[in-house]
Amino acid sequence: MIIAERKPLNEIMNMVQDAKRILVLGCRGCVTVCSAGGEREVEILASLIRLGKQKAGQEVSTIEATLVRQCDKEYIDSIDQWDGQYDAIVSMACGVGVNFIANLRPMVKVYPGVNTSSFGGSAEQGVWSEQCAGCGNCILHLTGGLCPVARCAKSLMNGPCGGSVDGRCEIHKEVPCIWQAIHDKLVRIDKADQLAAIAPIRDWSTAGHGGPRKTMRNDLTV
Amino acid sequence: MSFTPNIQAFCCHYTSQQTLAEGPQGLLADGFPKSVTIHRLVCTGKLEVSTLLKAFEDGADGVYVAGCPADKCHNLMGSQRAAKRVGAIKKALAELGVEPERIEMYHLERGFHPDFVKAAQEMDERITTLGPSPFQGGTK
């Protein structure tokens, strides 16, 4: 899922300083699962915005709503039901949702309520860890299913580096060295010979370095 | 100018059970401050962050939660969860430039215990010193 967390409140309060009517808009997708922008977080942020405005002696009213997703036009269309009832939207979806609203409703002021950080999973309750960098050229079949692009501090293709000590990363001591984990995994599944292959210089153009990426499925387009 | 604080207390069934059995007059006789309004819950672990924030929106000058001792919660981790939610609100209050001390978590023994009254007295004194809530009411 896409991992996000609520922005610092002072940032959000600055964004909405001129707005008197605010639509706080959550998303039932990834940000609900990672407890950043679902129904519950919408309720909390709306309350905090009201309190912040009360402290500043400013009038405010809030509308709280949560869409099924904010990354599909069909769901974005449903915000039209609040037309004329808000001055600005604080979207608690990932950055995709904010972009979609901005793309599809050019006259609407939309602000991000969360910082979108990574693609990851739940490591334990309340903890999420990055697992995938969305680089567009997956090599997990060569690395025992463990991603060095996302999980190696240096995104090495031929690791480990010389700094790995006792299976820990030299950059972040609390993080396991993913190349050590890749080595151990490949040995366990009898694929250690894959480690002898030298990975070629990587083409990063699929990772966004060549500009915004677009995926098209001709069998689905109409 | 005299100031009588509005303090909302959210207490679990077990920490408030016998103390409340005395009734309001009994509590007052024990020294329980009039400024504190008690809301009884089955477990503080059930408390939502939004419920505590709403208390501030509704005009509370201070809010506190009284739950079981952290390692002896009747529902195992309920009071620990509540403490974390109180911690989250302390952080949010600080971000809004408001004294985090306006909300507090107390872990109290179950049953009749003078600490139940003491916690209320402590909050009454603290909030009286801090003064009225900086949140101005009436803008929903």
Side-chain angles (χ1 to χ4, degrees):
Chain A
M1 76 187 112
I2 293 175
I3 309 297
E5 62 182 328
R6 191 181 71 214
K7 274 187 166 290
L9 281 174
N10 57 355
E11 271 188 48
I12 296 172
M13 294 311 296
N14 278 336
M15 291 173 202
V16 299
Q17 60 183 328
D18 296 327
K20 290 182 177 174
R21 303 171 305 163
I22 299 163
L23 170 56
V24 183
L25 196 61
C27 175
R28 288 194 213 285
C30 308
V31 290
T32 288
V33 183
C34 69
S35 299
E39 213 165 302
R40 178 176 290 179
E41 291 74 32
V42 163
E43 192 180 8
I44 291 168
L45 181 60
S47 184
L48 288 168
I49 288 174
R50 289 193 298 268
L51 285 168
K53 290 278 195 179
Q54 285 177 15
K55 179 169 179 280
Q58 297 170 355
E59 280 183 33
V60 70
S61 65
T62 55
I63 301 169
E64 299 166 29
T66 304
L67 304 185
V68 175
R69 286 196 295 277
Q70 292 190 26
C71 51
D72 274 311
K73 179 182 180 302
E74 290 77 1
Y75 298 115
I76 298 297
D77 285 346
S78 67
I79 67 174
D80 292 347
Q81 66 186 292
W82 299 292
D83 268 357
Q85 297 175 47
Y86 60 85
D87 304 320
I89 297 176
V90 175
S91 167
M92 298 195 78
C94 66
V96 178
V98 181
N99 273 271
F100 256 62
I101 294 170
N103 289 339
L104 295 167
R105 296 295 181 275
M107 297 305 290
V108 165
K109 291 175 187 163
V110 57
Y111 304 119
V114 302
N115 285 324
T116 306
S117 56
S118 62
F119 303 148
S122 179
E124 58 187 273
Q125 189 167 320
V127 179
W128 294 270
S129 61
E130 184 171 15
Q131 305 289 314
C132 171
C135 72
N137 186 10
C138 199
I139 55 153
L140 293 170
H141 57 297
L142 303 173
T143 58
L146 304 167
C147 182
V149 179
R151 301 173 68 185
C152 168
K154 302 170 186 175
S155 292
L156 291 182
M157 291 298 104
N158 292 289
C161 70
S164 173
V165 178
D166 295 331
R168 313 303 290 182
C169 174
E170 72 167 339
I171 308 291
H172 307 290
K173 303 284 187 220
E174 74 281 9
V175 175
C177 167
I178 198 63
W179 270 106
Q180 177 74 53
I182 290 168
H183 177 273
D184 294 347
K185 175 70 186 284
L186 290 176
V187 168
R188 269 198 302 277
I189 62 173
D190 202 23
K191 293 277 189 184
D193 56 315
Q194 286 183 192
L195 290 163
I198 306 289
I201 294 172
R202 191 177 165 90
D203 175 5
W204 290 100
S205 62
T206 58
H209 298 234
R213 293 164 286 176
K214 190 177 202 172
T215 303
M216 184 179 287
R217 284 265 306 270
N218 284 326
D219 56 325
L220 295 175
T221 56
V222 287
Chain B
M1 194 174 78
S2 69
F3 163 60
T4 305
N6 170 350
I7 299 171
Q8 301 296 313
F10 295 85
C11 310
C12 83
H13 176 73
Y14 297 95
T15 47
S16 60
Q17 194 174 26
Q18 289 189 23
T19 309
L20 285 179
E22 296 185 330
Q25 292 310 316
L27 270 184
L28 286 175
D30 290 337
F32 197 87
K34 283 182 180 170
S35 59
V36 178
T37 304
I38 297 175
H39 304 272
R40 293 183 76 190
L41 310 161
V42 287
C43 174
T44 53
K46 179 68 181 160
L47 259 181
E48 296 280 355
V49 170
S50 53
T51 305
L52 297 168
L53 290 174
K54 182 146 192 322
F56 282 111
E57 283 197 74
D58 289 344
D61 301 300
V63 173
Y64 73 91
V65 179
C68 300
D71 58 346
K72 288 191 283 184
C73 179
H74 181 83
N75 295 308
L76 303 179
M77 295 182 69
S79 63
Q80 288 181 41
R81 293 185 202 283
K84 295 207 171 200
R85 287 165 197 161
V86 167
I89 295 177
K90 277 184 180 286
K91 184 169 176 281
L93 291 181
E95 284 186 84
L96 290 173
V98 172
E99 305 92 344
E101 301 82 16
R102 288 190 181 274
I103 187 163
E104 199 54 79
M105 177 76 203
Y106 290 93
H107 294 282
L108 304 175
E109 292 294 337
R110 288 186 239 168
F112 184 87
H113 206 284
D115 283 352
F116 185 77
V117 174
K118 205 169 133 193
Q121 289 171 336
E122 184 180 296
M123 280 305 283
D124 179 62
E125 190 182 330
R126 182 191 297 186
I127 302 301
T128 302
T129 305
L130 287 174
S133 161
F135 300 125
Q136 304 301 315
T139 53
K140 289 287 167 64

